[in-house]
Amino acid sequence: MLSDDETRAPFATYFSIDAFDISGERLMGRQAAGNSYLKALFNQNYDNVALYVGSVLDNPRDSNISNKMLGFLKNSTSFDDNTNIKLIPYDEPDTTNQFGGIFRPDPKIEQLARHRGYFGHDTYSLIGITHTTASHSIMTSLTEIVTSPIMPWDALICTSKSVKDTVEVIHNNYYEYLNFRFGITKKPEMQLPVIPLGINIDEFKTERNRDNIRTSYSINKDDIAIIFVGRISFHAKAHNVPMFLALERLAQETSKKKIHFIMAGWFPNEAIKRVFIEDAAKVCPSVKVIFVDGRDQEKKFDVYAAGDIFFSLTDNIQETFGLTPLEGMASGLPVVVSDWNGYRDTVRDGIDGFRIRTTSYPEELSQILAYRHDLGLDTYDRYCGYHSQFTSVDILEAVKKLKILIEDKDLRRELGNNARKHASEKFSWSVILKSYSDLEKQLFAMRKEKHKIDKSYLKMRFPDRLPPYEIFRSYPSQFLDHNSLFAKNNDINPFQFKELMQSESINFASVVLPEEKDIDFVLDTMNNNNNITFEKLISKTGIKDAELLKVLAVLLKYGYINVKD
């Protein structure tokens, strides 16, 4: 047992090396977040840190296995030999009770709940955390939580308000289905606290020679370096063409300032890398686009030091929080990001930077794409990528906000300082881990009181294959509908859509995109009909509702039109 005067990390962390390893070729967001969390555990100088080993095959009683785990920790964290690290075998979950229970860095706690039945469900708590919630496997896991023996003293940490909304939509739809199918009238209770991911602030305080770094990238003193950090993927993160269009327009409007766009991250494969290089040359020839391997942590921090503005127009349903804008803020950069899910919780519009309005697809289209994926016609990557094709970020607004920052150095400094302060005060791991400790105390009190489980009437709807329109409805700023008013942009996108379709970043979705003739017809119709309603477009084009919505979503995506307020 632990003595009363010893400090300990909250919970025993479910541990497998893969979940925290960022050295591989395919770095995922969950690994980056996990690695950051693991570093934080040891940066806090707790006397005791418990790791619940996540597999019966990795038995820490075997010295070879335990030495491998400790070696990984020494290479990945500020390991202190004075810290007592308790490696708890997978078959001894009950011993986690002295640490408050098990924290698993993903939502899949249902199997752990079944295991807990052997020891009594009030023995310890189970805590999961959300990352992406768009995949079938995660949605299924979220439904299985409902029917697994989850207790009121268990929790699923939601990293943003939007993610909590997603979880509640899935749960409520499953309750409806269970009520219809089985007449169940009560639902289990669990906690859904909103606690964001954190960052290790000290990593961003290291002094770096900004001038030398900028010189190495041929960025002159008066040039503007706009940076993007993260996975470089048009189908799974942020589509490049709208960002490139915004930057090209920006370069034309701020011709006295040379614009550089540094994308620090990693490509899923060489084919996608080639697409980005080709698109950059074609769509934003006036901007110097630099690609940097962001898996190299030194290079990543150099990019943050070299930057003037952080820029990310994420438009993807698999994104739930967004760690890199926080890193940009911690680096003292003003940020310009899409008004999309977790970004809304971290970036204060007009204070730390600017959030750019997003417009998402209607329900009819979402149902079609969900059905294709459910049948197996489309892989998960294509499923996310296809939805991205119909989600737009306001390009004109992005240009406007970037231009404001470029032309006002004092404002850049002011918003950057605000951002750094906000990141430090609200999103430092020391602050987040305090929230974890508070949660542990809350759950312990509930276990001690044998909190009565309250359930309520349920409704019918099978939840683990819901279309994104419903479960991600809180992500965008607005949706297209029959009341939308449209206007044509004449100076954003100089390419005919047929020419734009030559880019694989768009052509890859040709199977779900509208026909070129319909796109051309709608654009021709709008030439003499500015500020035209959806209903008027239907009457003038004769295109069916669903197909016209697709056309308008794509035209909005690539800057041909905009939605009038």
Side-chain angles (χ1 to χ4, degrees), residues 481-486 525 532-543 545 548-549 552:
D481 59 33
H482 288 200
N483 296 315
S484 298
L485 186 67
F486 304 94
T525 302
I532 189 169
T533 64
F534 180 85
E535 297 296 337
K536 194 170 183 179
L537 277 171
I538 290 178
S539 66
K540 284 184 171 292
T541 63
I543 300 174
D545 286 28
L548 182 57
L549 283 169
L552 293 169

Side-chain angles (χ1 to χ4, degrees), residues 2 8-9 11-16 48-62 65-66 69-70 73 84-103 112 119 124:
L2 304 178
R8 58 174 175 77
F11 312 119
T13 298
Y14 186 97
F15 182 76
S16 66
N48 297 275
V49 175
L51 302 176
Y52 175 61
V53 180
S55 171
V56 291
L57 301 177
D58 294 329
N59 188 345
R61 301 180 186 94
D62 183 326
I65 293 175
S66 61
M69 293 177 177
L70 293 174
L73 294 174
N84 176 35
I85 299 178
K86 185 175 180 61
L87 298 175
I88 301 175
Y90 191 71
D91 58 355
E92 295 182 5
D94 56 314
T95 62
T96 66
N97 63 353
Q98 60 185 308
F99 291 90
I102 300 170
F103 168 66
L112 297 178
F119 306 97
Y124 53 91

Side-chain angles (χ1 to χ4, degrees), residues 293-309:
D293 186 354
R295 292 168 298 190
D296 185 321
Q297 296 300 291
E298 283 301 308
K299 289 182 179 179
K300 182 185 81 169
F301 287 119
D302 279 353
V303 167
Y304 281 124
D308 295 298
I309 302 167

Side-chain angles (χ1 to χ4, degrees), residues 449-511:
E449 295 172 3
K450 302 293 190 298
H451 185 77
K452 183 179 179 181
I453 303 174
D454 296 320
K455 298 181 180 180
S456 61
Y457 284 97
L458 311 177
K459 301 176 183 178
M460 191 281 297
R461 185 77 179 270
F462 202 72
D464 73 344
R465 297 296 185 269
L466 292 175
Y469 172 84
E470 185 165 357
I471 58 178
F472 304 117
R473 60 192 174 199
S474 66
Y475 281 28
S477 313
Q478 62 185 9
F479 285 87
L480 291 181
D481 59 33
H482 288 200
N483 296 315
S484 298
L485 186 67
F486 304 94
K488 188 175 181 181
N489 294 327
N490 294 314
D491 52 357
I492 284 290
N493 190 340
F495 303 100
Q496 291 187 347
F497 189 75
K498 182 178 181 179
E499 186 179 2
L500 206 62
M501 276 286 289
Q502 294 173 8
S503 168
E504 183 58 26
S505 70
I506 301 172
N507 186 263
F508 86 103
S510 59
V511 68

Side-chain angles (χ1 to χ4, degrees), residues 102-155:
I102 300 170
F103 168 66
R104 177 165 174 152
D106 64 33
K108 299 181 178 181
I109 58 175
E110 62 276 6
Q111 188 64 34
L112 297 178
R114 297 184 183 99
H115 294 167
R116 184 175 56 182
Y118 291 96
F119 306 97
H121 287 299
D122 59 346
T123 307
Y124 53 91
S125 291
L126 297 172
I127 301 88
I129 189 170
T130 58
H131 291 290
T132 183
T133 50
S135 71
H136 283 172
S137 64
I138 293 299
M139 285 194 275
T140 298
S141 178
L142 290 173
T143 62
E144 289 179 351
I145 283 177
V146 172
T147 51
S148 65
I150 294 295
M151 298 291 128
W153 42 85
D154 297 327

Side-chain angles (χ1 to χ4, degrees), residues 314-317 319 338-344 358 391 475-476:
T314 289
D315 54 9
N316 205 281
I317 59 174
E319 179 71 89
S338 46
D339 184 43
W340 189 254
N341 61 50
Y343 288 8
R344 206 173 285 142
T358 57
T391 297
Y475 281 28

